[in-house]
Amino acid sequence: MKKFPFLFFLVSCLCMATACSKGGGNLKDNATGTDTSTDSTATSKTITFIDTLSDNTPFIHPGLLQSQADFDRIKAKVEAGASPWIDGWNKLIANSHAQVDYTPNPVDTLIRGGSSREQPKPDNYSRAFNDVAAAYQLAIRWKVTGDNSYADAAVRILNAWASTCKAISGDSNTALAGGIYGYQFANAGEILRGYSGWKAADFEKYKSFMVNVFYSNNHAFLTTHWGTCDSHYWANWDMCALASEMAIGVLTDNRQLYNAAIYYFQKGIGTGNIHNAINYVYGDSLAQWQESGRDQGHCTLDVALMGVICQQAWNQGDNLFGLDNNRFLKACEYVAKYNVAQLDVPYTAYINCEGVSNPVISPDSRGTIRPMWELVYNHYVKLKGLKATWTDMGARSVRPEGGGGDYGPNSGGYDQLGFGTLLYSR
């Protein structure tokens, strides 16, 4: 299996975090003649490629899902009692994870894919997704209120994991643990990096934990796909690993990690490449996901994870949202039209590298609810001024968005950090 082409990062065109046109077209775009005129999204100048910056280019901090400008806006709106921010805030502070008496439950070995040949012990990854949800929610409460008790509680969680957890174990599903909880733990740490009460030595230990436990897993999966062919795994597997690799790169000020994720998202061999994850485009309106023929629960996860990737890049000055004439927006419109509006969408049969075929769109888990629409809606509609009929409907259907703990006890309710009404409204 090919390794990441790190030599790419030595290119001479070092754009200052802007889009550089490199030419080229869509890999698998398909216009079928389906009437999608009522769906048409307004589009902007096509961005075909985002160049990476040199390894010594500094990052913006905080600069993952939220920037300091975001927190300044959120704080002002909450203090003013303005809707919908105050509605999102009330949702946050009512969550049991967002309380200062939350007790962390770290494990020595994080297991996802347990009770298996590779790992006979049972799964324990629920302890990770609960704890990281708590750390993130407490970190937000600190940034908005300035009350250090919330930061102290969040730091206790992160320090406990950095001191205890040494490895991820299980069957192939370790890639999901490494990716999903990796990007989430990195985001919590990124928010708290400026807190004076987090000892420098503890922060350094935390960064080492993120690299040794999570990034090592992300890189191994993305470069080997556990010995399978390039499209064996579904898009959400690649994308969670990319979201984590990117986030850990920012957290640890390692631009090589960040650059690898930016490159893979555009040119990578696996299903995390945006052209493979969103594998058919229908005119100027809709775009199909690689997982559309699998089930809708995972299609909605695809929206959530690509939203994380694009938002993290956006806060570092890289406009992945705009790639290929807003390809991501078209794919969001597709999922929202089918799942929220419950209307038909076009579909093209999918076959992976092993001959696994999805001949029709899957209605399984149609209508899955995740706290993911506000991020997409507010970027494309409120910030960019584009039309997104079905994404707008999706955002209104879950407003105000909650987060981990508000959507049931299982992992699907924690795959995204959420609270988009509070965090992304403009």
Side-chain angles (χ1 to χ4, degrees), residues 399-416:
R399 190 174 292 149
E401 282 184 357
D406 291 319
Y407 299 91
N410 298 324
S411 61
Y414 291 81
D415 288 341
Q416 48 289 306

Side-chain angles (χ1 to χ4, degrees), residues 388-406:
T389 302
W390 311 116
T391 301
D392 183 1
M393 184 180 293
R396 285 187 279 113
S397 73
V398 295
R399 190 174 292 149
E401 282 184 357
D406 291 319

Side-chain angles (χ1 to χ4, degrees), residues 201-336:
D202 288 340
F203 182 47
E204 291 303 314
K205 185 174 183 178
Y206 186 74
K207 289 190 289 184
S208 294
F209 156 69
M210 293 302 302
V211 171
N212 295 334
V213 174
F214 290 101
Y215 168 70
S216 62
N217 175 277
N218 307 149
H219 181 69
F221 175 71
L222 289 169
T223 55
T224 69
H225 289 117
W226 304 151
T228 65
C229 59
D230 296 338
S231 61
H232 171 86
Y233 288 100
W234 297 101
N236 76 87
W237 290 60
D238 261 22
M239 286 196 291
C240 70
L242 289 173
S244 179
E245 179 177 55
M246 173 188 288
I248 294 169
V250 174
L251 177 72
T252 63
D253 288 298
N254 187 331
R255 190 165 282 274
Q256 282 195 342
L257 273 59
Y258 176 87
N259 283 349
I262 292 291
Y263 179 85
Y264 191 106
F265 186 71
Q266 301 172 91
K267 298 290 186 180
I269 57 176
T271 54
N273 178 321
I274 187 173
H275 296 92
N276 297 334
I278 304 171
N279 57 350
Y280 287 95
V281 174
Y282 302 94
D284 282 335
S285 54
L286 304 173
Q288 174 181 320
W289 290 90
Q290 181 244 10
E291 302 202 56
S292 296
R294 181 191 185 190
D295 63 64
Q296 299 308 307
H298 287 96
C299 278
T300 53
L301 177 57
D302 291 336
V303 172
L305 291 173
M306 191 169 287
V308 169
I309 292 169
C310 291
Q311 181 69 16
Q312 291 179 161
W314 178 259
N315 280 329
Q316 293 301 326
D318 292 322
N319 186 12
L320 298 182
F321 282 108
L323 274 178
D324 195 22
N325 223 0
N326 305 307
R327 193 181 187 99
F328 177 41
L329 173 59
K330 295 171 188 176
C332 293
E333 288 287 274
Y334 184 96
V335 172

